[in-house]
Amino acid sequence: MSVTSILQTSIEYLKGVGPVRGELLRKELNIHRYIDLLNFFPNRYIDRTRYYKINELQNSTAEVQIIGKLIHIKTVEFGKNQKRLVASFADDTGQMELTWFQGIKWIRESLKLNEPYVIFGKTSNYGNQFSMAHPEMELLEEHKLSLRSAMQPVYPSTEKLNQRGVTNKVINKAMQQLFIETNAKFSETLPDYLLDQLKMISKNEAMFNIHFPKSQELLQKATFRLKFEELFFIQLQLITKNLIRKHKIKGQLFDKVGTNFTDFYNNHLPFSLTNAQKRVLKEIRNDMGSNAQMNRLLQGDVGSGKTIVALMSMILAKDNGFQSCLMAPTEILANQHFIGLSELAQNLNISIKILTGSSKTAERKIIHQELENGTLDILIGTHALLEDKVKFKNLGLAVIDEQHRFGVEQRSKLWKKNEIPPHVLVMTATPIPRTLAMSLYGDLDISVIDELPPGRKPIQTVHRFDSNRLKVFKFLKDEIAKGRQIYIVYPLIQESETMDYKDLIDGYESISRDFPLPQYSISIVHGQMKPAEKEAEMKRFVAGKTNIMVATTVIEVGVNVPNASVMVIESSERFGLSQLHQLRGRVGRGAEQSYCILMTGFKLSADSKTRIETMCSTNDGFEIAEVDLKLRGPGDIMGKQQSGVLNLQIADLVRDKDILMLAREHALKLLKNDASMSKPEHQKTRTVFIEMSAKKNIWNYIS
């Protein structure tokens, strides 16, 4: 039986596991087969490379191991009906005491006097004598024979496993058994030239030394090798997907720059484009002008001008005889896009409509007809665009805003709206750290607008404690006196809608007292209002009829009021970094100086302090995203829909950034020289790659 097929054996058949433990390993650690156990890596190690002498012991918390003999054992009574077992343990330099408080009878029977033992544990010092409570003990003879290495692996565990006796020792034994049954022989997955070039150890050596490291140095080599392999195969998959799409999936050919585009560019641009916008437009035009389907991620901070780039791409589609759609995650955002794009395109011969859950039946009928007969050029909407009834005559470009809020199936429904898949432009105002973008969207080409439009002043962000509230209110009154408007946002924490509502209402009442009518007027917006009421309040604020908008995070995306110059975020320690950054982006949209005031109580956790300091020190979304990634980890940032992709077993996107870059560079090089991996030196890699691609969970097939 080959090692590959042995590794597919169900875990309960491994000697020492059995059905009960097998079921526990499945439920608690997702270990179903031998291969899962093999790829279940330790999360730390206890260094047993050194044997101490008794006269070398220090009063420290380190765990140590000592070779010696038991020379005397006795049972000592203490307290009421309590006993402990005490043994004298000696080597050629001195004596120490070993003590046990539990399992005394069984331990006493198993101990042998005057036989060499290896003991391991933490020591404590009483008077001049060292003692060790409940040491791990092994006869020296057995210690030498065990497959275990000098560095002891400690595996991740759960409370339930420990309660049911599946301890680290049990997992360690199972791992030893697995290596015995497979003869510790695993297929190589990487080309020989790559191992030589990067001075990497073989797959066999790496697997052995990750579980039973012979030394610190070999552990380090094994870790690097396995992290590189994991990231290398992910990059191979993503880059291959991209290449296949470019070669196989034909896109609509937009080969002309027509009258609408030229007219808009020359006569109707509200401001001149930044160099970053021009660069991105050029990248998009090159994509749509080739024969391949465009699949591009457009990243740009709040207010960097992504919408105008999207509109100009849609105008290109119109000039080439195609329709476009823009899909947004919420009605508020879809409405804002509709208003914004309609204003920008009002002097052009272009028809734009909006379709959301609130669209009336009569409107829907007209939209469906115009889409099918081709008279409607651009359709903006929410998930409503995905309905089967929505049919295009010839959809050429699909723009998706805030892509991480849509699942994969939802997006693929859009692609199927046309025989030849439309070009795809994915936009996000949540800057994604480069390492994350390369791992999640490595199959997309990435464009970045890293420059704000001219005349925009950077927003000044300050942190104020609740005790400074009167000074903050005085500042707000000064801003209102200059004719500006203010946002005051309260946190929305889903578990407790009522608590948030109370926070908001209490806040609203105290603000109403400090900013009384008729001198000041206040809008209020929260999740418990009917959509029509929300809309009316928003409109009053947008029209400048109210000075202050008190709201929950419903305004995080989708409100554009250039006259609003101050964003006050209450209890800002309860917000995540990307949310704080999004909220801050609601101001700073006009030419005036804008401010963001982060209000907090005095008690702040270390993470909250880091978030607030980051916000006060930079306006750069990418810098903020990097800090966010360090604080929260990749799964949290991308949300449930994407986190499965990042179910990494050994690599870490935050810590292993350099290995990721290296893996991507070598994956690109390999595919450039041998896209089908058909050369003899790539056979091993190709076999693994094909097996992985056929399975959903690629990491089960790496060995």
Side-chain angles (χ1 to χ4, degrees):
M1 203 169 167
S2 73
V3 170
T4 312
S5 43
I6 292 173
L7 288 174
Q8 297 310 317
T9 311
S10 199
I11 195 67
E12 59 264 31
Y13 295 111
L14 185 66
K15 190 178 167 189
V17 175
V20 177
R21 280 179 174 170
E23 190 55 27
L24 269 172
L25 289 173
R26 259 195 288 277
K27 279 188 179 155
E28 294 294 299
L29 299 173
N30 212 10
I31 293 173
H32 296 261
R33 285 156 308 163
Y34 284 20
I35 182 84
D36 302 323
L37 180 63
L38 183 69
N39 286 330
F40 181 61
F41 300 119
N43 55 0
R44 65 190 179 89
Y45 299 83
I46 294 165
D47 188 351
R48 284 187 153 180
T49 47
R50 209 182 145 193
Y51 297 94
Y52 283 79
K53 293 287 187 186
I54 291 174
N55 69 351
E56 293 176 321
L57 295 179
Q58 301 284 326
N59 204 357
S60 79
T61 56
E63 291 171 296
V64 294
Q65 61 184 356
I66 307 157
I67 300 171
K69 292 178 181 177
L70 291 170
I71 53 173
H72 181 66
I73 304 172
K74 62 179 176 190
T75 305
V76 178
E77 292 197 10
F78 69 101
K80 215 176 185 181
N81 302 328
Q82 288 182 303
K83 292 177 181 175
R84 70 169 182 259
L85 187 64
V86 179
S88 297
F89 185 77
D91 68 5
D92 54 2
T93 69
Q95 276 191 35
M96 64 184 293
E97 210 173 63
L98 308 182
T99 54
W100 292 267
F101 299 91
Q102 285 153 346
I104 292 174
K105 187 173 176 290
W106 175 79
I107 290 168
R108 179 151 202 169
E109 285 167 12
S110 66
L111 294 176
K112 296 175 180 174
L113 285 171
N114 298 313
E115 291 274 348
Y117 273 100
V118 176
I119 64 164
F120 177 78
K122 277 185 187 160
T123 58
S124 44
N125 187 317
Y126 295 106
N128 280 333
Q129 189 170 40
F130 277 94
S131 83
M132 191 184 280
H134 285 273
E136 280 183 35
M137 296 189 72
E138 201 172 19
L139 286 163
L140 182 60
E141 220 172 306
E142 285 174 16
H143 180 78
K144 285 178 178 167
L145 286 175
S146 77
L147 174 62
R148 192 176 59 199
S149 64
M151 309 252 314
Q152 280 276 281
V154 180
Y155 293 92
S157 188
T158 68
E159 209 174 317
K160 199 168 185 184
L161 286 175
N162 288 325
Q163 282 169 358
R164 305 285 288 275
V166 183
T167 58
N168 193 58
K169 208 170 183 178
V170 169
I171 290 180
N172 209 318
K173 266 220 155 80
M175 198 66 80
Q176 293 185 30
Q177 185 58 35
L178 176 65
F179 272 72
I180 291 165
E181 289 188 27
T182 53
N183 286 324
K185 294 220 176 323
F186 308 107
S187 323
E188 186 51 76
T189 59
L190 298 173
D192 295 343
Y193 68 82
L194 199 51
L195 297 179
D196 292 344
Q197 221 175 328
L198 299 175
K199 298 189 172 53
M200 281 193 284
I201 59 176
S202 71
K203 178 75 177 190
N204 274 342
E205 266 188 292
M207 286 320 264
F208 189 88
N209 280 289
I210 201 79
H211 291 293
F212 311 107
K214 290 177 181 164
S215 68
Q216 288 279 7
E217 189 192 358
L218 277 165
L219 172 61
Q220 198 185 352
K221 286 185 171 176
T223 309
F224 174 80
R225 147 80 214 223
L226 294 170
K227 284 180 174 184
F228 179 88
E229 177 179 328
E230 183 167 43
L231 296 167
F232 179 74
F233 276 98
I234 287 182
Q235 291 304 322
L236 274 184
Q237 275 208 320
L238 291 168
I239 298 161
T240 305
K241 242 163 99 182
N242 197 349
L243 291 173
I244 288 173
R245 203 188 51 252
K246 284 184 173 164
H247 289 117
K248 288 200 176 163
I249 304 182
K250 291 281 170 269
Q252 312 283 9
L253 185 61
F254 293 4
D255 54 359
K256 68 171 189 231
V257 176
T259 49
N260 283 303
F261 189 91
T262 320
D263 179 28
F264 181 75
Y265 190 81
N266 293 332
N267 308 316
H268 305 298
L269 263 180
F271 43 77
S272 51
L273 297 180
T274 62
N275 288 330
Q277 285 171 314
K278 287 178 186 167
R279 183 187 69 239
V280 168
L281 261 174
K282 195 174 176 186
E283 289 165 352
I284 291 169
R285 277 180 51 188
N286 287 344
D287 282 358
M288 301 198 298
S290 74
N291 257 334
Q293 181 210 17
M294 170 172 83
N295 226 2
R296 193 167 276 283
L297 173 68
L298 173 56
Q299 285 188 269
D301 233 329
V302 182
S304 61
K306 295 181 297 297
T307 314
I308 206 147
V309 169
L311 174 66
M312 291 174 82
S313 308
M314 295 190 216
I315 297 173
L316 266 176
K318 155 82 176 166
D319 281 348
N320 283 275
F322 291 98
Q323 295 165 304
S324 303
C325 69
L326 188 157
M327 187 162 85
T330 63
E331 282 203 21
I332 289 181
L333 199 48
N335 272 310
Q336 191 190 314
H337 278 306
F338 176 63
I339 294 161
L341 295 179
S342 303
E343 273 175 22
L344 286 166
Q346 61 189 354
N347 299 314
L348 301 175
N349 177 27
I350 285 183
S351 148
I352 304 178
K353 290 209 166 144
I354 182 167
L355 179 67
T356 68
S358 319
S359 302
K360 298 196 168 52
T361 314
E363 290 169 17
R364 282 169 186 266
K365 269 192 178 157
I366 297 168
I367 288 173
H368 291 160
Q369 280 169 2
E370 291 183 354
L371 270 186
E372 288 184 52
N373 66 29
T375 51
L376 179 56
D377 301 311
I378 296 174
L379 179 61
I380 292 163
T382 52
H383 295 75
L385 298 187
L386 303 173
E387 290 166 7
D388 293 337
K389 289 186 217 128
V390 179
K391 294 187 173 75
F392 292 81
K393 185 181 181 189
N394 54 354
L395 178 64
L397 171 66
V399 180
I400 296 175
D401 198 15
E402 294 305 338
Q403 113 120 19
H404 58 279
R405 303 210 191 170
F406 295 107
V408 179
E409 298 95 63
Q410 291 170 312
R411 295 198 303 271
S412 66
K413 274 188 179 172
L414 258 190
W415 305 175
K416 291 172 186 151
K417 298 271 181 192
N418 217 50
E419 257 176 68
I420 295 179
H423 292 297
V424 178
L425 183 65
V426 168
M427 301 198 298
T428 177
T430 310
I432 302 156
R434 194 158 168 229
T435 46
L436 210 50
M438 275 167 46
S439 307
L440 282 170
Y441 305 121
D443 59 326
L444 299 182
D445 297 307
I446 296 178
S447 290
V448 178
I449 302 182
D450 47 11
E451 196 181 341
L452 287 176
R456 290 268 174 101
K457 292 184 179 138
I459 301 163
Q460 282 185 21
T461 304
V462 292
H463 172 214
R464 295 288 178 263
F465 291 109
D466 291 337
S467 52
N468 299 118
R469 191 169 296 282
L470 290 175
K471 279 187 180 168
V472 170
F473 281 1
K474 160 95 174 64
F475 174 73
L476 299 185
K477 285 174 179 169
D478 293 345
E479 283 295 296
I480 292 170
K482 294 179 193 166
R484 315 261 188 273
Q485 288 166 286
I486 315 283
Y487 292 108
I488 300 178
V489 177
Y490 287 83
L492 181 84
I493 297 170
Q494 266 123 3
E495 288 86 47
S496 158
E497 293 281 332
T498 48
M499 181 177 141
D500 301 327
Y501 184 64
K502 183 182 173 301
D503 277 5
L504 182 82
I505 298 305
D506 284 356
Y508 175 65
E509 282 169 3
S510 80
I511 289 159
S512 303
R513 282 195 297 276
D514 278 279
F515 295 85
L517 285 161
Q519 197 180 348
Y520 302 100
S521 55
I522 303 170
S523 286
I524 182 166
V525 175
H526 56 80
Q528 294 184 355
M529 292 166 78
K530 293 193 172 84
E533 291 171 358
K534 238 190 267 185
E535 202 59 46
E537 283 291 280
M538 293 262 201
K539 276 185 179 151
R540 279 175 13 128
F541 187 67
V542 171
K545 290 179 182 160
T546 56
N547 319 103
I548 299 173
M549 158 82 78
V550 175
T552 53
T553 46
V554 285
I555 62 141
E556 181 185 337
V557 286
V559 184
N560 186 12
V561 183
N563 189 45
S565 66
V566 186
M567 165 65 71
V568 179
I569 304 175
E570 291 286 353
S571 307
S572 56
E573 71 272 26
R574 284 161 69 182
F575 291 88
L577 254 181
S578 64
Q579 228 183 356
L580 289 171
H581 183 59
Q582 287 283 331
L583 285 167
R584 173 167 65 184
R586 298 293 109 217
V587 295
R589 291 169 167 255
E592 307 306 330
Q593 178 62 59
S594 288
Y595 305 89
C596 174
I597 302 172
L598 305 174
M599 302 295 294
T600 72
F602 277 109
K603 276 188 182 168
L604 292 177
S605 69
D607 279 5
S608 299
K609 277 185 187 155
T610 305
R611 287 199 294 270
I612 284 160
E613 281 163 13
T614 305
M615 286 294 293
C616 294
S617 65
T618 181
N619 280 303
D620 181 334
F622 286 94
E623 214 175 296
I624 288 166
E626 287 289 351
V627 177
D628 205 18
L629 180 61
K630 281 185 186 125
L631 290 178
R632 290 200 290 157
D636 277 355
I637 287 189
M638 298 323 299
K640 289 187 177 65
Q641 275 136 345
Q642 305 284 3
S643 57
V645 189
L646 290 169
N647 210 353
L648 298 176
Q649 286 187 304
I650 191 164
D652 177 306
L653 288 182
V654 181
R655 288 195 294 268
D656 302 322
K657 210 156 52 175
D658 297 347
I659 304 178
L660 172 65
M661 303 297 220
L662 191 69
R664 187 169 174 84
E665 180 195 323
H666 283 284
L668 274 165
K669 215 180 274 180
L670 186 153
L671 292 169
K672 208 174 171 185
N673 297 332
D674 183 17
S676 60
M677 292 188 250
S678 51
K679 290 183 179 173
E681 63 265 33
H682 295 144
Q683 280 312 299
K684 295 178 282 205
T685 308
R686 184 170 191 256
T687 307
V688 178
F689 182 77
I690 289 168
E691 278 179 0
M692 276 169 30
S693 303
K695 312 288 177 201
K696 281 273 186 282
N697 183 1
I698 59 178
W699 296 117
N700 283 352
Y701 290 85
I702 216 170
S703 287

